[in-house]
Amino acid sequence: MPGNAQLLLLDKDVVESLLIANDVLAAVERAFELHRLRKGRVFPLIRERLETGGVFGIKAGDVQSESLLGFKAAGFWPSNRNQGGEPHQATIMLIDPATGRPLCVIDGNAITTMRTGAAGGLGLRALARPDSRRLCLFGTGVQARIQVTFALHMMPAISSVQYVTARGTADARFESHFNDRCAISHATDADDAVATSDLIITATPGGGPLFGAAAVQPGTHINCVGADTKGKRELPEGFLERVRLFVDDEAQARQIGETQWAPDVACVELGDVLGAPEKMIRHPDDITVFDMTGLALQDLTVARMLYEQAAKSNLGARIPWPW
């Protein structure tokens, strides 16, 4: 009855306890499939800069055939670092599409991290050369770490990782996460690291081009993570015009992704490749780019998985939420 309605709250600890890599991969792949079949809708994006120095956005969507509806309110507040806090903040809400009543409120930080890592891993598996061994990474933050984690999970041939930092200094703490899984080293010359790598992942705040276009060798694949707002970029000017470009959502990528800098370049949505992998013929000299802006459907499919698991295991806090 409406008077007995409850709202389930899943905090950071519960979310992290339920986030298993293969489960997240399955949920994210399902999101790509729903998007490909146009069974899941991605609503117009909200992404705005604030006077406080932060960036606030809302990604929303639904899957009408599966009674799935919700949104993620998220953004980036760099001043949080001064308070010892995480600059990325995200909250997800699942809503009953039949009544409009909230079903579950979920801490979205770990979900965002994991689903983005999973999307990157799926992109590598679908687009990169299977024998790729050398990875070049830009960034050492939370997202950089999860991207490497999923890259190693999905691409077992990777044996070495070079990483480039904004300060130009090594990050021993970052290296410690991967020392037992691959040879990892700090690179002081970005173009040299790019030129000697099969895979490149850019996971930075998107403040400008990270390397020269000429450094990228034929056969290289690049996952771009950092461009998620108008004005952000990580790739050099004119580079997208000479690659095979893949995106998670074409309209969104042209609005806020790397693709905003090359709006007339043809692109293919990754869901189409995942749905028909036999059609992805990669020529030896192809340079491929996956422009990752993050789908609302990814947040919703992962959130639904957590909601169902938490309800089954009686996890989280339930509070009265009467009509």
Side-chain angles (χ1 to χ4, degrees):
M1 296 295 291
N4 296 325
Q6 293 183 320
L7 177 63
L8 179 61
L9 305 179
L10 302 182
D11 66 15
K12 173 179 179 290
D13 293 336
V14 172
V15 169
E16 291 181 348
S17 73
L18 293 173
L19 282 174
I20 307 301
N22 285 334
D23 292 342
V24 176
L25 280 165
V28 171
E29 190 159 13
R30 176 61 176 161
F32 279 117
E33 180 182 19
L34 291 167
H35 191 48
R36 174 180 69 87
L37 298 174
R38 296 304 184 255
K39 291 184 177 180
R41 294 189 296 174
V42 175
F43 300 158
L45 174 75
I46 295 174
R47 189 78 173 174
E48 299 292 340
R49 296 187 182 275
L50 306 176
E51 291 184 359
T52 61
V55 177
F56 175 71
I58 295 177
K59 291 180 177 179
D62 73 350
V63 183
Q64 296 185 61
S65 62
E66 299 182 6
S67 298
L68 180 60
L69 171 67
F71 66 87
K72 180 176 74 175
F76 185 74
W77 284 264
S79 61
N80 286 2
R81 293 194 182 99
N82 299 330
Q83 304 176 52
E86 167 58 47
H88 291 93
Q89 291 296 315
T91 302
I92 296 172
M93 179 180 288
L94 296 179
I95 297 169
D96 179 0
T99 65
R101 298 290 295 172
L103 300 172
C104 187
V105 174
I106 311 173
D107 185 295
N109 282 12
I111 292 176
T112 301
T113 298
M114 285 287 283
R115 64 85 158 146
T116 309
L122 291 170
L124 292 177
R125 188 186 69 184
L127 304 174
R129 300 191 335 262
D131 63 344
S132 297
R133 298 176 52 251
R134 299 163 299 178
L135 169 64
C136 173
L137 172 73
F138 287 83
T140 57
V142 172
Q143 191 52 234
R145 186 191 312 167
I146 202 67
Q147 288 294 326
V148 175
T149 299
F150 274 95
L152 294 172
H153 182 68
M154 302 294 279
M155 304 286 289
I158 295 175
S159 59
S160 67
V161 174
Q162 297 183 80
Y163 67 96
V164 182
T165 61
R167 295 181 178 180
T169 56
D171 187 331
R173 184 177 179 184
F174 178 78
E175 291 183 19
S176 69
H177 292 284
F178 305 107
N179 275 328
D180 61 343
R181 302 175 66 183
C182 63
I184 185 165
S185 60
H186 176 244
T188 56
D189 187 310
D191 282 359
D192 182 65
V194 166
T196 56
S197 296
D198 307 304
L199 304 170
I200 302 167
I201 298 176
T202 59
T204 75
L210 299 170
F211 51 84
V216 183
Q217 300 302 301
T220 302
H221 173 74
I222 305 174
N223 272 4
C224 299
V225 185
D228 59 1
T229 304
K230 289 180 180 179
K232 284 189 175 185
R233 74 183 310 171
E234 295 178 306
L235 299 181
E237 184 176 356
F239 180 67
L240 288 181
E241 284 78 357
R242 64 184 185 90
V243 309
R244 294 180 65 184
L245 178 60
F246 299 84
V247 300
D248 43 20
D249 178 82
E250 181 175 354
Q252 188 170 283
R254 295 195 189 284
Q255 180 182 358
I256 63 170
E258 283 292 337
T259 309
Q260 68 183 284
W261 302 104
D264 298 324
V265 172
C267 62
V268 175
E269 292 188 346
L270 183 66
D272 293 334
V273 179
L274 296 177
E278 70 280 0
K279 295 182 179 180
M280 176 56 192
I281 300 174
R282 196 185 210 292
H283 304 291
D285 289 346
D286 284 344
I287 297 174
T288 50
V289 171
F290 178 30
D291 183 8
M292 302 170 52
T293 55
L295 292 177
L297 293 175
Q298 296 166 357
D299 298 311
L300 296 184
T301 54
V302 175
R304 175 177 60 186
M305 175 193 72
L306 298 180
Y307 174 58
E308 292 173 349
Q309 291 182 355
K312 183 178 179 180
S313 302
N314 196 30
L315 296 174
R318 291 189 175 274
I319 62 173
W321 203 259
W323 289 42

